[in-house]
Amino acid sequence: MHLCRIPRALRLASTRLTKPQLTPRRCISGKETAREYLDKAAAPFQVFDRNAKRMQRDRAASRVADSREVDYLRDEVAARVADRLLDIKRRYHTVVELGAGCGHLAKAVDDDMMDKLVMCEMSPHALNRDLDATYDVAVSRQVMNEEMPRFDDESLDAVVSSLSMHWINDLPGMLIQVRKALVPDGVFIGAMLGGDSLFELRSSLQLADVERDGGIAARVSPLTDTRDVGSLLNRAGLTLSTVDLDSIVVNYPSMLHLISDINAMGEGNAVVQRLPYIKRDTLLAASAIYKELYQNEDGTVPATFQVIYMIGWKPDPSQPKPLPRGSGEASLGDMFDTKSQKL
């Protein structure tokens, strides 16, 4: 039986029934109240431990020399995001980057594209790692959780995100906040790891877990499928969406070197239900399986990073719209010299 303290609800004064003064019930049994349960149920499902991810990024960035050696992946993706921003024939006054890391996009942009870049990152160590670096554009830094961006409505011309969105629990909510912050006809450009990233590592670890422990553990975080990205943009209210894929293959001496670089990037496993360790024999078995299945002719092993690029625009009356159905004046059958039949 749970003992709960219930406040007195009714009081009689001057022979008149006063309004009950109800206060939340506090259970001394240690169990949560109904309101706490409902608040928890309404919150987005937590797949990733954001606090653990922040600590991983802080720890990685604090090792400055090792952190700079593994900037190659983020620098490459940031350069490709900058190319997509350059394809838009506009010059922006201020661009906001969510999940800026150590300033990878700032290295790839110049003053022909924008006047100022606002770098937002939840890890202060990563954000300030290259504090003395100089860039072609003016840069400002803000410590901000990119999962919950806070900007005034219709205050931003462009928002970009490079290799940070795959750690966000509530992607629709984050994109909705971005859409609200954009001015009409403002653009959002994002890049995130896709579902086929590190499939070599994932399969090797799964086979090693089955062989050594008789089951599969959550060693690699779940990633978004390409087919879902367009739906996410539409759900957030962004229009004229464009989604494309790119694969970056990096060769490593062994699987252990790959894992070492992943940790140095601050990209270690941050799933809530992750195991705190991996057995030595399981790790060595996975390395042997990786080498057996995927080894290159020169003895190295490949690691595939699938990157999903997305572009979405905030709706505006000036944007082009499709013509209504049935308004076409030319027949495809006439264009291709084929006979058409009415159904």
Side-chain angles (χ1 to χ4, degrees), residues 150-164:
R150 293 290 181 263
F151 297 101
D152 295 334
D153 291 350
E154 298 187 357
S155 61
L156 305 177
D157 294 328
V159 178
V160 298
S161 178
S162 178
L163 285 193
S164 177

Side-chain angles (χ1 to χ4, degrees), residues 37-314:
Y37 176 80
L38 292 176
D39 290 342
K40 184 185 297 185
F45 183 71
Q46 300 296 307
V47 179
F48 307 113
D49 187 340
R50 296 286 297 174
N51 186 52
K53 178 50 57 183
R54 178 187 57 80
M55 291 189 294
Q56 288 177 2
R57 291 180 180 176
D58 283 342
R59 183 169 57 248
S62 63
R63 302 168 181 171
V64 178
D66 293 339
S67 177
R68 286 175 176 166
E69 286 184 0
V70 295
D71 279 347
Y72 53 85
L73 180 63
R74 285 184 173 273
D75 287 347
E76 179 63 27
V77 175
R80 301 186 186 191
V81 171
D83 288 341
R84 285 161 172 79
L85 187 62
L86 187 61
D87 289 339
I88 303 173
K89 303 304 179 183
R90 295 182 185 178
R91 189 179 187 277
Y92 296 98
H93 175 66
T94 302
V95 176
V96 171
E97 182 186 9
L98 300 177
C102 302
H104 311 279
L105 183 66
K107 304 175 187 177
V109 298
D110 53 37
D111 53 4
D112 291 334
M113 303 166 61
M114 66 189 72
D115 294 328
K116 182 179 180 181
L117 177 67
V118 180
M119 298 165 49
C120 302
E121 168 63 43
M122 70 174 180
S123 167
H125 289 78
L127 188 63
N128 299 315
R129 190 198 71 179
D130 297 333
L131 198 59
D132 56 347
T134 57
Y135 306 105
D136 292 340
V137 298
V139 169
S140 66
R141 295 172 170 85
Q142 292 185 20
V143 177
M144 178 186 295
N145 184 0
E146 63 266 23
E147 190 172 44
M148 296 177 290
R150 293 290 181 263
F151 297 101
D152 295 334
D153 291 350
E154 298 187 357
S155 61
L156 305 177
D157 294 328
V159 178
V160 298
S161 178
S162 178
L163 285 193
S164 177
M165 295 172 60
H166 54 276
W167 292 116
I168 291 178
N169 288 300
D170 186 14
L171 270 176
M174 174 260 190
L175 292 174
I176 289 174
Q177 295 300 320
V178 168
R179 190 254 303 163
K180 291 180 178 179
L182 287 172
V183 299
D185 203 31
V187 63
F188 168 74
I189 302 177
M192 63 185 299
L193 292 180
D196 288 339
S197 295
L198 298 177
F199 70 90
E200 303 98 341
L201 179 63
R202 191 191 307 268
S203 59
S204 299
L205 288 172
Q206 289 176 350
L207 290 173
D209 277 330
V210 172
E211 177 188 353
R212 300 290 174 166
D213 300 323
I216 297 177
R219 306 291 186 189
V220 182
S221 66
L223 297 169
T224 304
D225 190 83
T226 311
R227 295 168 293 183
D228 299 329
V229 175
S231 300
L232 287 172
L233 294 174
N234 294 332
R235 180 180 173 183
L238 297 172
T239 60
L240 302 177
S241 57
T242 304
V243 180
D244 63 293
L245 283 174
D246 203 356
S247 292
I248 301 175
V249 180
V250 183
N251 294 324
Y252 295 89
S254 69
M255 188 196 80
L256 301 181
H257 289 82
L258 166 62
I259 294 177
S260 177
D261 276 18
I262 290 175
N263 290 329
M265 295 177 190
E267 293 293 315
N269 191 4
V271 178
V272 173
Q273 298 180 349
R274 67 191 182 279
L275 293 179
Y277 62 91
I278 180 172
K279 296 180 182 178
R280 180 182 178 86
D281 59 339
T282 303
L283 187 63
L284 294 177
S287 180
I289 294 172
Y290 200 122
K291 189 173 183 179
E292 180 67 24
L293 295 179
Y294 304 107
Q295 185 179 19
N296 296 320
E297 294 181 357
D298 59 357
T300 60
V301 294
T304 303
F305 298 90
Q306 184 190 61
V307 185
I308 304 175
Y309 299 93
M310 65 199 78
I311 301 176
W313 299 79
K314 185 167 182 176

